[in-house]
């Protein structure tokens, strides 16, 4: 395999051509046009490898991705996973709607989709492009801009496989939709490109969980794009649980748009990955929208985790809260780049952002960069950032009660992240996250 | 139970304790009084094993063993408890879970059964009553957002749970109003037995009206300059520490 040029016609263009003649040929015209446009954008953008004038990617060097001999994953190239293979990734009591994707391809046998035309539905996107073409067309590719984002352009160029979650006006998705994206290919250097579309109608309620993981130790790229449209008065819980192997590259972009009075509660957990970049953008484009975007990242050895969170308050009386915490050991590096935009019309906005890092080794590193663009005059904005070691005074306090040094350290680290985990809205997700974090902290 | 002989200790190269001698037997309550900066907290921390202090000479034996040779947690497991003058906030760690971890560490080191959350909860609820604290406090993060009074009561609760043999209380009275002082004092008194001993560090005599000591020691400039019975506390109450702070023609602490 040749490495992918950062611009110019990429090997992916030929892949798309052959897919459009074959697997994608029955898709509606609008999505075929969208893919074509995105492909040409990617051809001219390439991956964001420039090190200068590339503020958004300042802390994440994607050359390892750009230089890897990547190729699109093929359906069925990995042995068919069994129920026990996916068991560690499951959540809930088995009654939840669930879509499982292996190397990016929908696996019907392991999935439990949901939905009739009038009800809430959790469906494979490839199918929904036909059965729900109108709904899909309204939002797909409309929320997540790709004109200047290489990874999003590449994902959009292959938008076909993925998940479609739709909750009609006034309805509640009773059980959370669990979307599980696993890479299983043992050959390595595969690219899978999950695409998620969540459309929550006016006054609806929904919870969506994306789990990312590995059934293989081979390196790969997971390039995910999710679009979440929360209509007026809708309430959406959105969770990302990233459990890739430490060989994996992950770029995940989520673009959410909130209507009037809409509410978004998001939690992002990063445990795995060699190089992870999460973009989470919330556009609050109508009055009184509110969101809480929280996250925990744990990294060790040479892991790189970069969270870029942007909240765009476009209209008045919006509220946003962000709390991210990281625990880093070994030579791990993390970045948190939180941007808050308060536009001219967005009076009485109340925004608060906080990122804290606990460094367990001398060589671990955290870069925190808050950025505010405030164009309205009557707003409340605040931010806090801190990176530090375990407090020796606290350690002594715990030891003076009989706890051994290691137990005391673990309790302090656990306590540090608990503050965020406690904010996970849904108890079943909260306890799942707590268990994963507890187990991963032992490996740090 | 505890014997401190000619204890010298320094921090960051500054000599703070300059020859402390003290002997405490089971069943006794000793008060150490002294002006601010005289080394009271330093003495308490050195006994509890806080890192950063250098013991430059002297010995401390506790139940026949060299206390200074033990790690802080080993001292706790041996029955030493320090009530902090400034209790530490531990965000994200719930008080009941923290206390159970400490309690079980002590149980384990003694070969006694550890308690599961349910059983421990029962014990905790009972101890909460002994020291008269709000039970809801045990579900909050350790000391986080606690008022000054709540923090002090929390120290008493921890003492009630851990049942130390030697409790060192560093100004359990500071910052408390009269009512809070009375409940904290009641808490302390409820935990006094003929088996354990109390080293009560205080700046003011006030608390000694409630927790009546057997012995009072005056610590000034890193040394015990006078020892006596409870009446010594009253004398200090009326006369202050001034007369003990007169320069005595001795070398000043050497600069760092
Ligand atoms: N890290 C330090 N370096 C130098 N001097 C210190 C340090 N910490 C405390 N001290 C000094 O030690 C002395 C005794 O302090 P402390 O034991 O807290 O007194 P007390 O509890 O009696 O008020 C004070 O003069 C204080 O300033
Ligand atoms: Mg003191």
């Amino acid at each position: 395999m040749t490495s992918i040029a950062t611009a110019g016609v990429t090997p992916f263009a030929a892949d798309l051509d052959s897919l459009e003649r074959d697997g994608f040929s029955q898709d509606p015209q609008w999505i075929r046009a969208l893919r074509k446009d995105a492909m040409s954008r990617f051809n001219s953008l390439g991956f964001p490898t420039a090190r200068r004038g590339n503020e958004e990617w300042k802390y994440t060097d994607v050359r390892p991705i750009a230089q890897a001999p990547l190729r699109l994953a093929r359906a069925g190239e990995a042995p068919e996973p069994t129920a026990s293979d996916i068991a560690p990734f499951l959540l809930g009591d088995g009654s939840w709607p669930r879509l499982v994707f292996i190397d990016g391809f929908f696996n019907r046998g392991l999935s439990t989709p949901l939905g009739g035309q009038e009800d809430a539905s959790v469906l494979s996107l490839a199918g929904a492009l036909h059965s729900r073409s109108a709904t899909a067309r309204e939002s797909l590719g409309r929320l997540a801009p790709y004109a200047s984002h290489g990874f999003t352009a590449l994902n959009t160029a292959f938008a076909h496989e993925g998940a479609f979650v739709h909750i009609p006006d006034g309805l509640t998705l009773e059980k959370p939709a669990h979307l599980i994206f696993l890479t299983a290919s043992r050959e390595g250097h595969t690219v899978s490109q999950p695409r998620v579309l969540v459309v929550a109608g006016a006054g609806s309620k929904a919870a969506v969980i994306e789990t990312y993981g590995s059934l293989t130790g081979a390196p790969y790229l997971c390039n995910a794009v999710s679009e979440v449209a929360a209509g007026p008065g809708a309430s959406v819980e959105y969770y990302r649980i990233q459990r890739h192997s430490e060989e994996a590259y992950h770029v995940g972009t989520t673009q959410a748009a909130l209507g009037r009075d809409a509410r978004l509660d998001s939690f992002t957990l990063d445990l795995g990955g060699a190089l992870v970049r999460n973009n989470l953008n919330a556009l609050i484009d109508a009055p009184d929208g509110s969101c809480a975007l929280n996250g925990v990242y744990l990294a060790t050895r040479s892991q790189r985790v970069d969270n870029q969170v942007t909240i765009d308050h476009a209209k008045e009386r919006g509220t946003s809260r962000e709390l991210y915490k990281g625990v880093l050991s070994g030579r791990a590096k993390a970045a948190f780049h939180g941007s808050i935009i308060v536009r001219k019309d967005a009076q009485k906005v109340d925004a608060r952002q906080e990122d804290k890092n606990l460094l367990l080794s001398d060589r671990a590193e955290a870069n925190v960069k808050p950025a505010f663009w405030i164009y309205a005059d009557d707003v409340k904005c605040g931010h806090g950032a801190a990176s530090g070691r375990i407090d020796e005074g606290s350690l002594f306090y715990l030891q003076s009660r009989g706890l051994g040094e290691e137990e005391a350290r673990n309790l302090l680290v656990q306590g540090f992240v608990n503050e965020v985990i406690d904010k996970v809205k849904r108890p079943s997700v909260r306890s799942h996250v707590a268990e994963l974090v507890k187990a991963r902290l032992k490996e740090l | 139970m505890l014997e401190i002989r000619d204890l010298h200790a320094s921090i960051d190269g500054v000599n703070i304790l300059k020859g402390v001698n003290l002997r405490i037997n089971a069943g006794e309550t000793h008060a150490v009084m002294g002006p601010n900066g005289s080394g009271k907290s330093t003495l308490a921390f050195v006994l509890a094993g806080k890192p950063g202090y250098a013991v430059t000479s002297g010995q401390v034996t506790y139940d026949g063993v060299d206390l200074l040779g033990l790690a802080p947690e080993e001292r706790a497991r041996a029955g030493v408890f320090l009530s902090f003058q400034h209790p530490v906030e531990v965000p994200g760690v719930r008080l009941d879970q923290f206390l159970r971890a400490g309690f079980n560490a002590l149980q384990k080191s003694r070969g006694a059964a550890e308690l599961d959350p349910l059983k421990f909860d029962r014990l905790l609820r009972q101890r909460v009553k002994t020291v008269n604290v709000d039970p809801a406090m045990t579900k909050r993060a350790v000391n986080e957002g606690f008022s000054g009074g709540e923090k002090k009561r929390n120290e008493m609760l921890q003492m009630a749970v851990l049942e130390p043999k030697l409790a060192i209380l560093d100004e359990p009275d500071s910052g408390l109003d009269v009512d809070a002082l009375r409940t904290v004092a009641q808490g302390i008194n409820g935990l006094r037995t003929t088996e354990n001993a109390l080293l009560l560090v205080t700046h003011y005599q006030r608390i000694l009206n409630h927790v009546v000591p057997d012995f009072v020691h005056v610590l000034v400039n890193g040394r015990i300059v006078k020892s006596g019975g409870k009446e010594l506390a009253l004398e200090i109450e009326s006369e202050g520490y001034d007369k003990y702070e007169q320069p005595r023609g001795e070398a000043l602490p050497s600069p760092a």
Side-chain angles (χ1 to χ4, degrees), chain A residues 325 391-394 396-405 407 411-412 414-416 418-419 422, chain B residues 45 48-50 72-73 76-77 81-82 84 88 90-93 98 102 105-106 143 155 158 162:
Chain A
K325 283 195 175 187
D391 179 58
E392 294 297 319
S394 308
F396 172 64
Y397 189 61
L398 267 55
Q399 285 178 274
S400 78
R401 300 310 186 233
L403 279 74
E405 186 181 334
E407 190 182 6
L411 200 58
L412 290 173
Q414 187 72 54
F416 176 77
N418 278 353
E419 198 195 339
D422 288 347
Chain B
F45 280 142
K50 185 173 182 175
E73 63 270 29
R77 292 167 191 173
F81 176 85
L82 170 63
F84 284 55
V88 179
V90 193
V93 177
F98 162 58
L106 267 54
N143 292 321
E155 295 294 286
Q158 297 183 36
L162 301 177

Side-chain angles (χ1 to χ4, degrees), chain B residues 11-12 14 16 35-42 85 171:
Chain B
I11 183 156
D12 292 339
V14 184
I16 312 290
N36 284 331
S38 58
K40 302 184 299 296
S41 292
T42 302
Q85 182 180 357
E171 302 203 23

Side-chain angles (χ1 to χ4, degrees), chain A residues 400-401, chain B residues 1-4 22-30 43-44 46-48 60-63 65 67 75-83 106 110 159 162-169 191 193 195-200:
Chain A
S400 78
R401 300 310 186 233
Chain B
M1 178 187 289
L2 182 77
E3 185 161 8
I4 304 173
L22 190 61
R23 202 191 149 90
I24 300 179
N25 298 307
E28 294 176 353
T29 294
H30 290 244
L43 176 62
V46 168
L47 293 177
V60 179
T61 38
Y62 168 77
D63 268 352
V65 302
L67 186 69
R75 301 182 198 201
R77 292 167 191 173
V80 177
F81 176 85
L82 170 63
S83 163
L106 267 54
R110 293 163 191 171
M159 174 169 151
L162 301 177
E163 298 187 299
K165 224 156 112 180
L166 173 66
I168 304 158
L169 311 181
L191 301 169
T193 69
E195 308 293 306
N196 61 19
L198 212 61
L199 179 60
L200 176 55

Side-chain angles (χ1 to χ4, degrees), chain A residues 35 63 126 132 154 163 194-195 199 207 217 232 246 299 317 339 349 356 362 372-373 398 401 421 425 428 434:
Chain A
R35 286 194 294 247
R63 278 176 301 184
R132 308 299 171 84
L154 182 62
R195 184 85 186 195
V199 179
E246 279 180 49
R317 292 184 307 276
S339 302
V349 152
K356 288 187 183 173
D362 290 334
F372 289 81
W373 286 275
L398 267 55
R401 300 310 186 233
I421 296 173
K425 201 168 170 184
S428 51

Side-chain angles (χ1 to χ4, degrees), chain A residues 93-162:
Chain A
D93 58 8
S95 68
W96 294 10
R98 176 174 81 218
L99 305 179
V100 178
F101 300 83
I102 305 297
D103 294 321
F105 297 93
F106 179 55
N107 187 302
R108 196 169 303 277
L110 295 169
S111 300
T112 49
L114 173 80
Q117 284 288 348
E118 309 294 317
D119 299 331
S121 43
V122 179
L123 301 168
S124 150
L125 179 65
L129 288 176
H130 298 276
S131 64
R132 308 299 171 84
S133 182
T135 310
R137 182 179 191 173
E138 249 173 67
S139 302
L140 193 77
R142 304 276 173 106
L143 299 181
Y146 60 81
S148 59
H149 296 90
F151 284 103
T152 304
L154 182 62
N155 176 291
T156 306
F158 292 91
H160 175 81
E161 288 280 0

